[in-house]
Amino acid sequence: MLAGDSEKPFDGKDWLFEIKWDGYRAIAEVKHKNLSLYSRNGISFLQTYPFIAEELRKAGLNAVLDGEIVVLDEEGQPSFQLLQHYSENKDKPIIYYVFDLLEMNGHDTTGLELIQRKELLKELLPENPVIRYSDHILEEGISFFNVSREKNLEGIMAKHIHSNYLPGKRTKEWLKIKHHQTEEAIIAGYTSPAGARKYFGALILAMLQDDELVYIGHTGTGFDQKTLKEMYELLQPLVQDASPFGEKIKTNMPATWVRPELVCEVKFSEKTRDGMLRHPVFLQLRDDKDKAEVVLKSEGADGKKSNLKSARTSSNKGQILKSASKSATQNKKQSASGTKPASLKKQSVPARILNGSGDQVLKIGKEKVKVTNPGKTYFPADGITKGDVITYYASMSKYILPYLKGRPESLLRNPNGIAQPGFFHKDAGEIAPSFVEVEKVHSASSRKVIDYILCNNLPTLLYMNNLGCIEINPWHSRAGWLDNPDYLMIDIDPSDKNTFDQVVECALVLKDIFDKAGAPSFCKTSGATGMHVYVPTAKKYSYEQVKDFAYLICMLANQQLRNTTTLERNLKKRGDKHIYLDYLQNRRGQTISCVYSLRPKPGGPVSTPLNWEEVKCGITPTDYNIYNALERTSNVGDLFKGVLGKGIDMKSCLENLSG
């Protein structure tokens, strides 16, 4: 079971907190004297750490354990480098800290709550100086984190006491909280040394995105002469002529490329907006980590990984921030109708939202919504604050709420603004206010029931905004009819090589096909680089039926636009000049940015419905944004309301298409 990340420590009555050991994660399967001891990627530790194996056999257990192997230095601190070179440091104390119990006496315990598993584990383990129970404290995570920092430990783990053990799953019920920012990185090459330095100058670092390597920086610090030589010798068998990157990488010295197989850990000061590591320092090799795990964590608003590679290409040309700033400035001055829109502060919303930067409480009818830190900047290039986002949704609530009511919400949270990666959050938890209604939905993937938020009213919408939900992502179906969507939707998803005019062309072809079928269709900008086309289905059909019909429509569109469209989802396989016609959005539990939703992109774009007459070459997604959405919608009305209207007769549509 794998842990998510948390930027800050916290207290919680349903949480326990453990030391984050700096060692090798290890599973021990102990069947009395029969023993397996292996790493996360299946490497046996029996020969590497025989002392641990010997003590496990002596313990006489019949259990499966999860823990961390560590070696302590002269000061009693865990040292990963000593652990990696244990054959040279056998005089140092080695310990297997056990923190979880997966099986006991032949009985699977993964379905028990964590607090129960740990109680059983503590009773099960005999007193042993080598095999030790990894203890915890309850509730007080902040003070525990501070103590661990004073003792120069790596950090702490936060675990929900009611969590089950989910093998192979990364979950927010387990969280890593580190003192320093660290990342695993794939070594893709090295640069030539300069001056008196030997062996190499810096390691070239990468991570995976859609099975392709993406450059994230280079590090030449953190080495001494011994580790420089060791690293150089490790890399020599991997040297190759061709760069492993799909794009040209600029380095300050000549580069030698290697097969991207080795994984290292680096610490760094911060990440830039395009995913580069600033001031990375080499810490150690991580031969317990598989390179397939070293994946960019930033996600786009549609639940897809954001394309940092393409963003970086634009950034290297010095254009991305410049163009975003220019676009935002132009959009502030001109609305879709060509007139100057009302400023955010003059819109008809509760004025107190924008009164100062301190925490405030909004009273909406009988309900009170706490707004924290409304002055926090969410869009750095545009100066848009958290308070501006909340103001926007308050002003647009009568338009957006009909598309949210009754629908489970997948919360895409950007609590630190768009410059930092967001994350998805589904479970309302016990902290949600009483005015927030929930729908219990069983999740097959996590084998648990999730309390999804239903955004049924304005207080709930603003509560979600205060959590950092710049973008709103509802299900396509509503509580009571979760297996039957209200509409079909096709996501026109371009690559970075496509123009928006090509996206427009694709939308118009889809409209013609739907017209021939006799199906009313509705179009909106995605608020990013694509467009979305919707058709009402009014709960008449299952997700599977709707998905299959959408697939047929996309096939017909692809036949007309073979040079620019594809039904291949994988970016690497589809080619960099093809628009993906995404019919798979029509699956149960899929979400996409709602109509009138802000998107966490420069310029504050809004997913905006258009008249089909407006869908023509020359428009751009940033034409429709936080500055003009209210005025535009007030002028043209809700162009999307037909999406929730009478559903199509799918049989009739199929007959029309076959005629």
Side-chain angles (χ1 to χ4, degrees), residues 555-608:
M555 284 180 63
L556 294 173
N558 176 239
Q559 288 174 5
Q560 297 185 45
L561 299 168
R562 289 193 180 277
N563 292 331
T564 55
T565 67
T566 180
L567 273 66
E568 173 57 58
R569 188 178 185 87
N570 187 295
L571 182 62
K572 187 175 181 180
K573 294 180 181 178
R574 64 165 135 147
D576 60 4
K577 294 183 179 179
H578 288 87
I579 296 169
Y580 173 48
L581 300 177
D582 190 354
Y583 62 92
L584 292 175
Q585 292 289 346
N586 300 284
R587 294 181 294 182
R588 188 179 189 271
Q590 290 291 112
T591 62
I592 206 161
S593 54
C594 183
V595 64
Y596 303 118
S597 172
L598 270 172
R599 298 298 301 275
K601 308 285 183 183
V606 169
S607 184
T608 302

Side-chain angles (χ1 to χ4, degrees), residues 367-620:
E367 309 297 349
K368 294 180 180 180
V369 182
K370 185 177 181 181
V371 176
T372 57
N373 200 8
K376 189 173 189 176
T377 300
Y378 268 10
F379 295 71
D382 309 286
I384 299 171
T385 66
K386 180 179 182 180
D388 292 334
V389 170
I390 293 174
T391 296
Y392 168 78
Y393 279 108
S395 70
M396 292 291 289
S397 60
K398 73 174 183 178
Y399 298 111
I400 194 172
L401 279 173
Y403 302 96
L404 303 179
K405 289 182 178 178
R407 301 181 192 280
E409 298 289 334
S410 290
L411 308 183
L412 174 58
R413 297 176 59 182
N414 290 83
N416 294 309
I418 71 171
Q420 297 294 324
F423 60 91
F424 276 93
H425 168 200
K426 295 180 179 179
D427 207 315
E430 298 180 1
I431 62 170
S434 59
F435 57 73
V436 174
E437 298 179 49
V438 300
E439 176 74 6
K440 294 183 179 296
V441 180
H442 181 266
S443 170
S445 60
S446 64
R447 298 183 298 171
K448 61 181 290 187
V449 173
I450 296 174
D451 288 335
Y452 278 92
I453 288 179
L454 302 178
C455 188
N456 291 341
N457 49 52
L458 177 58
T460 302
L461 177 58
L462 301 188
Y463 167 73
M464 289 163 52
N465 299 150
N466 189 59
L467 291 177
C469 295
I470 298 173
E471 177 182 308
I472 310 299
N473 291 269
W475 277 38
H476 304 329
S477 53
R478 287 176 282 177
W481 300 275
L482 289 180
D483 294 322
N484 300 86
D486 290 294
Y487 40 75
L488 170 156
M489 74 85 53
I490 295 173
D491 178 12
I492 305 172
D493 182 15
S495 75
D496 60 307
K497 296 296 178 63
N498 293 115
T499 66
F500 199 69
D501 284 351
Q502 290 174 321
V503 172
V504 167
E505 178 188 25
C506 186
L508 293 174
V509 167
L510 287 169
K511 179 187 184 299
D512 287 344
I513 295 171
F514 282 126
D515 284 349
K516 182 180 179 181
S521 58
F522 301 83
C523 184
K524 69 182 179 74
T525 65
S526 71
T529 57
M531 298 186 84
H532 301 153
V533 178
Y534 283 63
V535 170
T537 55
K539 302 186 291 294
K540 293 181 180 181
Y541 308 100
S542 68
Y543 273 104
E544 195 68 21
Q545 290 171 311
V546 171
K547 175 175 69 67
D548 288 346
F549 184 54
Y551 176 61
L552 171 63
I553 299 297
C554 290
M555 284 180 63
L556 294 173
N558 176 239
Q559 288 174 5
Q560 297 185 45
L561 299 168
R562 289 193 180 277
N563 292 331
T564 55
T565 67
T566 180
L567 273 66
E568 173 57 58
R569 188 178 185 87
N570 187 295
L571 182 62
K572 187 175 181 180
K573 294 180 181 178
R574 64 165 135 147
D576 60 4
K577 294 183 179 179
H578 288 87
I579 296 169
Y580 173 48
L581 300 177
D582 190 354
Y583 62 92
L584 292 175
Q585 292 289 346
N586 300 284
R587 294 181 294 182
R588 188 179 189 271
Q590 290 291 112
T591 62
I592 206 161
S593 54
C594 183
V595 64
Y596 303 118
S597 172
L598 270 172
R599 298 298 301 275
K601 308 285 183 183
V606 169
S607 184
T608 302
L610 305 176
N611 277 313
W612 278 112
E613 292 78 10
E614 296 177 289
V615 182
K616 55 189 178 183
C617 292
I619 64 171
T620 64

Side-chain angles (χ1 to χ4, degrees), residues 1 25 27 66 100 102 110 117 164-167 174 447:
M1 182 166 171
R25 182 85 174 270
I27 296 290
D66 192 356
D100 217 322
L102 314 189
T110 58
R117 300 198 304 273
N164 301 131
Y165 191 98
L166 307 174
W174 285 18
R447 298 183 298 171

Side-chain angles (χ1 to χ4, degrees), residues 327-375:
S327 172
T329 302
Q330 290 172 343
N331 290 325
K332 289 178 186 179
K333 295 178 179 179
Q334 184 175 348
S335 71
S337 61
T339 60
K340 186 177 180 180
S343 70
L344 282 169
K345 293 186 180 181
K346 291 181 180 178
Q347 291 175 355
S348 179
V349 295
R352 76 194 73 176
I353 289 179
L354 297 176
N355 279 348
S357 58
D359 294 357
Q360 298 163 43
V361 175
L362 295 174
K363 188 173 182 182
I364 303 169
K366 296 180 180 179
E367 309 297 349
K368 294 180 180 180
V369 182
K370 185 177 181 181
V371 176
T372 57
N373 200 8

Side-chain angles (χ1 to χ4, degrees), residues 120-406:
L120 290 172
L121 177 63
K122 190 172 185 179
E123 294 177 6
L124 178 70
L125 289 179
E127 286 193 18
N128 187 300
V130 177
I131 314 301
R132 298 187 189 178
Y133 173 71
S134 183
D135 213 337
H136 61 267
I137 68 162
L138 296 171
E139 301 187 14
E140 298 180 6
I142 296 175
S143 59
F144 188 57
F145 179 82
N146 292 334
V147 170
S148 71
R149 181 165 52 191
E150 290 170 6
K151 294 185 176 296
N152 199 32
L153 297 172
E154 187 180 4
I156 66 172
M157 299 293 300
K159 299 179 180 179
H160 200 281
I161 62 173
H162 302 305
S163 60
N164 301 131
Y165 191 98
L166 307 174
K169 301 291 185 182
R170 191 174 298 281
T171 168
K172 290 295 182 182
E173 292 190 330
W174 285 18
L175 298 169
K176 298 175 288 188
I177 311 174
K178 301 179 182 179
H179 301 136
H180 306 290
Q181 296 194 80
T182 64
E183 282 281 17
E184 275 87 40
I186 300 167
I187 301 173
Y190 58 87
T191 61
S192 299
R197 185 163 179 148
K198 295 181 178 180
Y199 304 112
F200 64 88
L203 297 179
I204 300 170
L205 306 176
M207 298 182 85
L208 288 172
Q209 183 177 59
D210 295 329
D211 299 324
E212 292 186 355
L213 282 185
V214 177
Y215 175 62
I216 60 169
H218 60 272
T219 177
T221 55
F223 301 97
D224 56 24
Q225 280 298 107
K226 180 182 178 182
T227 53
L228 274 171
K229 183 175 184 292
E230 289 176 348
M231 179 62 70
Y232 180 79
E233 291 173 347
L234 278 172
L235 292 173
Q236 293 318 292
L238 304 177
V239 169
Q240 61 183 28
D241 292 334
S243 166
F245 295 99
E247 59 181 333
K248 186 174 182 180
I249 305 300
K250 293 183 178 179
T251 57
N252 56 2
M253 294 292 287
T256 298
W257 305 111
V258 300
R259 292 199 305 275
E261 295 181 3
L262 297 181
V263 175
C264 67
E265 184 178 7
V266 296
K267 66 178 180 180
F268 57 97
S269 59
E270 62 179 341
K271 286 186 180 179
T272 64
R273 292 179 61 147
D274 56 355
M276 299 284 283
L277 304 184
R278 296 196 65 183
H279 313 123
V281 177
F282 176 83
L283 293 178
Q284 57 229 352
L285 277 175
R286 294 301 309 232
D287 48 9
D288 60 325
K289 301 290 178 75
D290 190 278
K291 72 173 184 179
E293 301 177 58
V294 186
V295 177
L296 285 167
K297 297 175 184 176
S298 175
E299 286 194 339
D302 294 328
K304 305 165 188 169
K305 291 183 178 66
S306 60
N307 198 333
L308 295 183
K309 179 181 174 182
S310 62
R312 183 171 306 134
T313 302
S314 298
S315 180
N316 286 342
K317 295 176 182 177
Q319 294 176 348
I320 191 165
L321 292 179
K322 181 179 177 182
S323 61
S325 177
K326 180 180 178 182
S327 172
T329 302
Q330 290 172 343
N331 290 325
K332 289 178 186 179
K333 295 178 179 179
Q334 184 175 348
S335 71
S337 61
T339 60
K340 186 177 180 180
S343 70
L344 282 169
K345 293 186 180 181
K346 291 181 180 178
Q347 291 175 355
S348 179
V349 295
R352 76 194 73 176
I353 289 179
L354 297 176
N355 279 348
S357 58
D359 294 357
Q360 298 163 43
V361 175
L362 295 174
K363 188 173 182 182
I364 303 169
K366 296 180 180 179
E367 309 297 349
K368 294 180 180 180
V369 182
K370 185 177 181 181
V371 176
T372 57
N373 200 8
K376 189 173 189 176
T377 300
Y378 268 10
F379 295 71
D382 309 286
I384 299 171
T385 66
K386 180 179 182 180
D388 292 334
V389 170
I390 293 174
T391 296
Y392 168 78
Y393 279 108
S395 70
M396 292 291 289
S397 60
K398 73 174 183 178
Y399 298 111
I400 194 172
L401 279 173
Y403 302 96
L404 303 179
K405 289 182 178 178

